[in-house]
Amino acid sequence: IMVDHGWRGAYIALAALSVAVVLPGAQLLRRRIDGASTAKATSHAAAKAQSVNLSPRTLQVLLATAGIGCCVAMSMPQVHIVALCIDRGYGAQAGAEMLSLMLVGGVASRLFFGALSDRIGGLFVLFISGTLQMLALCLFLIQGGLASLYLISLVFGLSQGGIVPSYAIIVREYMPPLEAGRRVGIVIGATIVGMALGGWLSGWLYDLTGSYAAAIWNGIAFNLVNVGIVIAILVRIGGPRGKAVPA
């Protein structure tokens, strides 16, 4: 599609595919949860919220801020890897292949971190994945060869896949289930704002400095905000799972 119709045609095709797949698929999720399960989940969420000693609104604001931070960092290589490759003399094709590696790595890491979150909880997975993403982003500062850039792109993809899904898990663990749809939407919406902001900021910093180094450091700084917020919440609850919640 890109070859025949350009990037606009590719985006239009993706939009049509999303409508054709997502809307019918959403109908499979219409089953209502019974009242007993909802009451039990509400009780568990209240107990976990008490352990963190933050109101749902405050926790939501912190998660939304963390979401902006992680996604400003995430967008830097995802949006600009092709331009970065051209800037370093490797060409657009190499950049497109590296982006594909990132996305494949993201799929694999989502599955891994999803299984891990079942064991240690969403907050600790967010901390692990966010920290790994920050370290992987630092690797882009290395002026290595083409092979090393391919490897770094794969490492970045493998590190960041657990971040965004963790927010929905955290909301579900620490907030009333009857508010989950609204609060997940707000937090995930903040991550989308972060992706858009990060892509624009990276381009602006490149235009300002003539190098992607400043854009990478900007991403690292925003990622630090993300990790700092998660650490602060984890400290309040005393560990990856927090206090035990009675069954």
Side-chain angles (χ1 to χ4, degrees):
I1 295 176
M2 283 283 290
V3 173
D4 295 333
H5 303 285
W7 65 268
R8 289 180 178 85
Y11 272 110
I12 291 172
L14 285 172
L17 183 64
S18 296
V19 172
V21 174
V22 173
L23 292 183
Q27 304 310 306
L28 301 175
L29 305 176
R30 291 177 62 85
R31 183 175 65 86
R32 303 290 295 181
I33 305 299
D34 63 88
S37 297
T38 300
K40 183 177 180 180
T42 301
S43 175
H44 284 197
K48 291 182 75 68
Q50 186 176 12
S51 73
V52 77
N53 196 26
L54 291 171
S55 69
R57 178 178 297 179
T58 301
L59 182 57
Q60 180 179 280
V61 169
L62 289 173
L63 291 176
T65 305
I68 292 173
C70 71
C71 286
V72 167
M74 189 185 299
S75 68
M76 190 277 130
Q78 288 190 351
V79 174
H80 290 273
I81 187 63
V82 175
L84 185 146
C85 284
I86 294 173
D87 188 58
R88 295 187 181 181
Y90 299 131
Q93 180 176 340
E97 292 169 350
M98 291 175 197
L99 179 59
S100 297
L101 278 176
M102 285 185 199
L103 298 178
V104 170
V107 171
S109 61
R110 270 169 171 75
L111 297 174
F112 170 77
F113 283 117
L116 186 61
S117 67
D118 290 338
R119 296 180 176 274
I120 64 175
L123 269 172
F124 204 60
V125 165
L126 179 59
F127 167 71
I128 294 172
S129 192
T131 302
L132 290 176
Q133 176 182 265
M134 184 172 61
L135 295 175
L137 189 56
C138 292
L139 297 177
F140 282 103
L141 292 167
I142 300 173
Q143 294 288 335
L146 182 60
S148 65
L149 200 53
Y150 274 107
L151 181 59
I152 291 169
S153 298
L154 178 59
V155 169
F156 185 84
L158 291 171
S159 68
Q160 55 82 27
I163 296 176
V164 174
S166 293
Y167 293 113
I169 297 172
I170 295 166
V171 169
R172 190 61 185 82
E173 287 179 332
Y174 289 88
M175 299 184 189
L178 293 179
E179 301 175 7
R182 169 169 56 89
R183 296 193 183 278
V184 168
I186 291 172
V187 175
I188 299 301
T191 67
I192 296 172
V193 170
M195 291 294 291
L197 177 63
W200 176 82
L201 271 177
S202 296
W204 178 74
L205 288 169
Y206 178 84
D207 292 340
L208 193 67
T209 63
S211 167
Y212 273 112
I216 295 170
W217 281 114
N218 175 71
I220 293 169
F222 271 92
N223 210 143
L224 274 171
V225 173
N226 167 270
V227 173
I229 288 173
V230 179
I231 289 175
I233 297 173
L234 283 172
V235 167
R236 293 180 71 93
I237 64 176
R241 277 288 191 180
K243 297 179 181 178
V245 179

